[in-house]
Amino acid sequence: MAWAGNQTLISHFVLLGLFTHSPLHIFLFSIIMVMFLVALSGNGLMILLILVDPRLHSPMYFFLSWLSLMDLMLISTIVPRMATDFLRGRGSISFTGCGLQILFFLTLLGDECFLLAFMAYDRYVAISNPLRYSVVMSRRVCWLMVAGSWLFGLVDGLIQAVFTLRFPYCGSQEIDHFFCEVPAVLKLACADTSLYETMIYVCCVLMLLLPFSVISASYLRILVAVLRMRSAEGRQKAFATCSSHMVVVSLFYGAAMITYMRPQAYHSSKQDKVVSAFYTMITPMLNPLIYSLRNKEVTGALRKFLGRCASGGGALG
């Protein structure tokens, strides 16, 4: 503890977590751990398939491999810490640890916001202008898009982590959440945070609404282009790919907007924890499942990879 005037400033926080130790919550915790393992194995396998199969060396799968890496890092930033706190029965976290968690989490969240927008643009170019696709979506352009996603995410994460922890925190140390999410942490600040909340709102307009507008415009134009296709097979393939993307976008952006674009007065701890679970646990688990189950090229690559492993195992035997 530190003293500032007549107030005692706290030196660490206590995360109250997502669950208690009731039988129902222990069951739900077990489900979360299964989801975590599915997310790790699914995203790891997706990255491996894209690396080893030449048929998946295209811009769409290049972006998908980065999305899988970001999902791996995102869920690994949140779930292991949450599980450790639950098993130990306490969730003490230092100021530095809380700041680092905010930094990593918001950097990865921002990365995904922009990467999903670039993925939507990639699909728009592929469907509406296939003859110029290889020129427009060149390897250099793809790397610049990924680098831009990381840069914007890192800047957003640094700004919010630094400004959040600059406020004095006194009184209660308990964060009613399962990780250090900015709206939950700000509730403990013993200073006026209204100006900072306005800045967060502006950041969210740039990090959420701007990419979401690009995605919406891209898919609207994709829909128009698909409806003009003469080939029924081409329309079906385009709809299958784009519908997968829209499921991911709806879950991810919807949950993030609910959390970061509502005034602080409208936040409920229970609701915030459920909504946060969507983009920290559920979306990272669903992404590889959605893309693999709805994509013949990925399922074909998986069958080829498993066949190669089986033949290799047989040869060793």
Side-chain angles (χ1 to χ4, degrees):
M1 297 263 184
W3 293 87
N6 293 326
Q7 294 178 322
T8 304
L9 302 183
I10 59 179
S11 58
H12 68 279
F13 297 113
V14 177
L15 295 167
L16 297 184
L18 187 59
F19 305 118
T20 63
H21 283 77
S22 67
L24 174 61
H25 281 194
I26 292 173
F27 173 71
L28 293 175
F29 172 76
S30 302
I31 292 176
I32 292 293
M33 295 314 296
V34 171
M35 290 168 57
F36 176 63
L37 293 175
V38 170
L40 288 183
S41 55
N43 284 293
L45 181 60
M46 185 69 76
I47 294 170
L48 179 62
L49 290 177
I50 293 170
L51 286 174
V52 302
D53 197 308
R55 293 175 299 177
L56 303 184
H57 292 175
S58 66
M60 184 178 85
Y61 295 109
F62 174 77
F63 290 132
L64 184 53
S65 66
W66 280 102
L67 180 65
S68 293
L69 178 61
M70 290 173 186
D71 280 336
L72 272 176
M73 295 174 69
L74 180 63
I75 200 168
S76 297
T77 299
I78 305 301
V79 175
R81 170 86 204 199
M82 182 207 73
T84 302
D85 291 343
F86 178 79
L87 295 173
R88 290 189 310 174
R90 56 189 177 89
S92 179
I93 184 170
S94 66
F95 252 59
T96 303
C98 190
L100 288 173
Q101 195 173 54
I102 292 172
L103 171 62
F104 292 147
F105 169 70
L106 288 177
T107 296
L108 293 164
L109 192 70
D111 291 344
E112 288 207 25
C113 286
F114 283 97
L115 187 69
L116 288 170
F118 290 138
M119 289 174 72
Y121 177 73
D122 169 71
R123 290 300 84 207
Y124 162 67
V125 175
I127 292 171
S128 64
N129 199 354
L131 296 179
R132 298 194 67 243
Y133 178 68
S134 59
V135 176
V136 176
M137 299 302 297
S138 65
R139 188 171 183 81
R140 179 174 177 274
V141 169
C142 291
W143 275 107
L144 285 174
M145 286 179 170
V146 169
S149 298
W150 280 102
L151 178 62
F152 286 125
L154 180 59
V155 169
D156 179 58
L158 278 171
I159 290 173
Q160 294 208 43
V162 170
F163 276 86
T164 298
L165 295 187
R166 285 187 65 186
F167 286 106
Y169 292 91
C170 49
S172 175
Q173 298 171 283
E174 297 181 342
I175 300 175
D176 194 3
H177 213 299
F178 58 93
F179 70 101
C180 286
E181 192 162 33
V182 171
V185 175
L186 288 179
K187 289 181 180 180
L188 305 184
C190 48
D192 182 15
T193 61
S194 56
L195 181 61
Y196 178 52
E197 288 174 34
T198 303
M199 188 193 78
I200 291 177
Y201 184 84
V202 172
C203 282
C204 289
V205 169
L206 296 175
M207 302 297 292
L208 293 173
L209 286 186
L210 184 60
F212 187 73
S213 299
V214 171
I215 292 170
S216 300
S218 296
Y219 281 111
L220 184 61
R221 300 193 71 171
I222 286 171
L223 181 61
V224 173
V226 168
L227 292 175
R228 290 177 179 171
M229 286 183 177
R230 296 181 180 180
S231 167
E233 184 181 351
R235 282 198 301 269
Q236 184 179 4
K237 184 177 179 180
F239 273 124
T241 302
C242 296
S243 62
S244 299
H245 291 196
M246 285 309 298
V247 169
V248 173
V249 166
S250 300
L251 285 173
F252 183 79
Y253 280 92
M257 286 178 183
I258 289 172
T259 299
Y260 285 93
M261 298 196 70
R262 283 183 305 163
Q264 190 77 359
Y266 292 92
H267 280 266
S268 158
S269 296
K270 288 184 178 179
Q271 188 183 60
D272 285 350
K273 285 192 269 190
V274 172
V275 172
S276 297
F278 270 91
Y279 55 81
T280 58
M281 303 177 202
I282 297 174
T283 303
M285 179 197 69
L286 288 179
N287 278 350
L289 298 177
I290 289 171
Y291 282 103
S292 62
L293 292 176
R294 298 295 303 274
N295 192 307
K296 292 181 180 178
E297 291 174 330
V298 174
T299 53
L302 178 59
R303 282 194 295 268
K304 181 181 176 182
F305 178 75
L306 293 176
R308 190 184 305 168
C309 291
S311 62
L316 288 173

